[in-house]
Amino acid sequence: MTTFYIKSLGCKVSQYDGERIAEKLKEYGLIENENQPDLFILNGCSVTGRASQKARQIIRAVRRKKADCKIVLAGCEARLVEKKNERIPEVDWLLPYNDIDSINKMMSALSLDIESDNVLAEKQFNHTDMTRAYLKVQDGCSQFCSYCIVAHLRGKEWSRPIDDAIEEAKELIAEGHKEIVLTGIHVGHYKPSLVPLLKELEKLDGLERIRLSSIESVEVKDELIEWAANSPKACHHFHLPLQSGCDKILKAMHRPYLTKDFKAVVDHIRETMPEAAITTDLIVGFPGETEEDFQETLNFLDEIKFSRFHIFRYSKRDGTPAAIMPNQISNEIKIARSDRVEAVWHKYAHDFAKHFEGHKVEVLWETLEDGWLKGYSKEYVPCKMKSEDESLRNKLMAVTGIKAENSELIVE
């Protein structure tokens, strides 16, 4: 029987898409086997030049180790390769899209053994072993930030019908998932609106938590904040990508806000939910970013006090305006700035975890590692508790914060 393994890089949407491909292959009768796959699929990310480089490195490494393995490149990176009419010698097939027709063509072209001669025809939902499950409700982007290729690869914006999303959510709940994370390339552009979908999701029995993935600050309206504050199933966590704390750089990035607008949204969230986590993405070393500009960003980070950052060192992405901007920043400066930002986020992550010392938090336990149960609170505080009880995985538990240790909260 043919075996396969899928490795997904990048965002939650990429993780979701990889899971859907895996489910469809299982429907064919293929067996998932990480160690000895006949078919290796890399679901690649193209958000930065560095991400594309990583995809190439993984593909070359797999080819060296598994000479007889069929290698498929999927996802955004496959779309980029197709768009550039590029050829990667180690790749046997490009899978830019994960619809049924595309997978049927791949299976036929690669002459893989399958359990039956029937091609896939019915809609399949994603199944994952993770405690939290991703639910993709939107795709595509129309923002066209100057550094990003994704809008060029993902195409027109698309929103999933509410009824369709609810049906998949029911499947995920039936599998035992307690928390669902709504994902999309631009989830705040969900049509007709996120709140009606969220209100339908919260009616589902067995679903304990609803978490939003990344959402632009300009799309966090009063109605969404009110829902998050009042729904017993809402996670008090907003991931708002900032990218820069300097208005000059935000303008060069073609971001749709100024720092004062961003802060106004954060202030509104915190006035309504003082304990809410505000996490972010940040790019350092964008073309033209002077030391003074970077200092503005550091000052803004001190003002907002995010509980967690994802830090990206800017890397050129061919086909984007930023790639040909003057005053490109050296790698040495990017690395130094990244290190300085990392020190800031570790400080505020610790401060945020410390805020919950002596307080009750609700934790969904996800893993058991080396005698520690680990999971996240509704506020996205990573928590851990001494235990050897495997049965507590995927269970919600009210516990008390004892001590903040770096960005984690030790509980009992």
Side-chain angles (χ1 to χ4, degrees):
M1 188 62 64
T2 300
T3 58
F4 76 94
Y5 179 65
I6 295 177
K7 183 176 182 65
S8 292
L9 305 177
C11 66
K12 292 179 175 64
V13 174
S14 178
Q15 305 298 318
Y16 173 94
D17 288 345
E19 289 164 2
R20 289 207 64 178
I21 295 170
E23 278 308 302
K24 290 169 183 175
L25 295 181
K26 289 175 184 176
E27 286 293 310
Y28 266 118
L30 274 66
I31 305 299
E32 194 164 12
N33 186 323
E34 180 177 355
N35 297 319
Q36 293 182 317
D38 302 307
L39 171 66
F40 175 81
I41 300 178
L42 180 66
N43 194 35
C45 171
S46 296
V47 69
T48 65
R50 190 172 291 109
S52 289
Q53 184 182 35
K54 182 177 181 180
R56 303 301 201 278
Q57 290 170 343
I58 291 171
I59 287 169
R60 288 195 292 268
V62 171
R63 178 56 74 212
R64 285 195 300 270
K65 293 178 182 177
K66 307 178 189 301
D68 297 331
C69 180
K70 301 286 188 182
I71 296 179
V72 172
L73 178 61
C76 283
E77 187 63 15
R79 297 183 191 190
L80 181 61
V81 169
E82 183 181 63
K83 183 182 180 73
K84 294 167 64 177
N85 198 26
E86 183 183 356
R87 182 179 177 275
I88 302 176
E90 297 86 359
V91 170
D92 297 296
W93 190 259
L94 286 180
L95 187 67
Y97 304 96
N98 64 358
D99 60 280
I100 290 169
D101 287 344
S102 296
I103 291 180
N104 285 337
K105 288 176 183 177
M106 176 191 75
M107 298 297 292
S108 176
L110 297 180
S111 301
L112 295 169
D113 280 340
I114 59 176
E115 196 169 72
S116 73
D117 294 329
N118 297 326
V119 297
L120 295 176
E122 296 181 3
K123 175 169 59 180
Q124 300 298 328
F125 295 125
N126 68 313
H127 301 257
T128 170
D129 293 331
M130 292 180 62
T131 299
R132 284 174 285 138
Y134 301 136
L135 178 61
K136 180 177 161 184
V137 298
Q138 187 276 341
D139 207 338
C141 180
S142 58
Q143 192 159 286
F144 292 95
C145 298
S146 65
Y147 53 84
C148 186
I149 197 70
V150 172
H152 300 272
L153 302 177
R154 285 280 177 173
K156 293 193 303 182
E157 292 187 358
W158 162 88
S159 293
R160 190 173 192 174
I162 288 179
D163 290 347
D164 190 39
I166 294 299
E167 284 305 307
E168 181 170 356
K170 289 178 180 177
E171 292 281 331
L172 294 168
I173 296 165
E175 292 171 2
H177 299 289
K178 299 290 197 304
E179 179 178 317
I180 284 178
V181 183
L182 292 193
T183 69
I185 296 298
H186 205 135
V187 75
H189 278 188
Y190 179 82
K191 306 297 182 189
S193 166
L194 271 178
V195 173
L197 170 60
L198 293 166
K199 288 183 176 179
E200 289 301 313
L201 283 170
E202 70 181 358
K203 295 176 185 176
L204 298 179
D205 292 336
L207 179 60
E208 302 292 342
R209 286 183 177 179
I210 305 168
R211 193 182 298 275
L212 290 174
S213 63
S214 178
I215 183 169
E216 295 288 356
S217 59
V218 294
E219 287 138 25
V220 178
K221 306 299 184 185
D222 292 355
E223 184 185 26
L224 181 59
I225 296 173
E226 182 181 352
W227 172 82
N230 294 307
S231 171
K233 296 187 178 183
C235 290
H236 292 179
H237 171 210
F238 288 85
H239 186 84
L240 310 178
L242 172 64
Q243 309 304 5
S244 175
C246 169
D247 287 339
K248 183 191 90 175
I249 298 300
L250 288 175
K251 183 178 180 181
M253 289 176 167
H254 295 174
R255 298 293 288 166
Y257 52 83
L258 298 174
T259 51
K260 65 180 179 62
D261 307 317
F262 190 98
K263 183 177 184 302
V265 173
V266 172
D267 288 346
H268 188 185
I269 292 170
R270 286 179 170 158
E271 286 165 5
T272 310
M273 293 169 282
E275 81 290 1
I278 309 292
T279 59
T280 198
D281 298 330
L282 195 76
I283 297 172
V284 298
F286 189 79
E289 182 187 63
T290 65
E291 180 60 28
E292 291 75 18
D293 298 332
F294 179 65
Q295 189 59 52
E296 279 191 43
T297 290
L298 291 179
N299 293 342
F300 192 69
L301 298 180
D302 282 334
E303 193 173 356
I304 299 296
K305 297 178 174 59
F306 295 99
S307 60
R308 187 171 292 268
F309 303 165
H310 292 154
I311 307 166
F312 300 90
R313 298 194 295 271
Y314 171 77
S315 64
K316 285 185 180 181
R317 177 76 281 174
D318 290 344
T320 63
I324 56 174
M325 286 180 177
N327 302 315
Q328 298 283 329
I329 307 299
S330 71
N331 285 332
E332 291 77 14
I333 291 175
K334 292 176 191 174
I335 292 169
R337 289 178 181 173
S338 176
D339 290 344
R340 290 163 69 185
V341 170
E342 188 168 358
V344 171
W345 95 250
H346 281 302
K347 175 185 184 304
Y348 288 121
H350 175 79
D351 290 349
F352 188 68
K354 191 172 181 63
H355 171 77
F356 292 92
E357 290 180 351
H359 293 270
K360 288 284 186 184
V361 291
E362 180 193 80
V363 180
L364 179 59
W365 298 117
E366 298 187 17
T367 61
L368 179 58
E369 303 172 10
D370 301 323
W372 289 95
L373 270 170
K374 295 187 176 183
Y376 287 87
S377 74
K378 292 179 73 170
E379 303 81 14
Y380 208 59
V381 179
C383 298
K384 64 181 186 179
M385 180 176 73
K386 272 289 184 186
S387 177
E388 297 284 355
D389 191 350
E390 177 71 28
S391 70
L392 292 178
R393 286 185 68 248
N394 203 30
K395 295 287 193 301
L396 281 166
M397 181 182 291
V399 291
T400 301
I402 300 301
K403 180 184 177 184
E405 188 176 83
N406 298 320
S407 64
E408 293 181 311
L409 181 66
I410 299 174
V411 301
E412 66 174 11

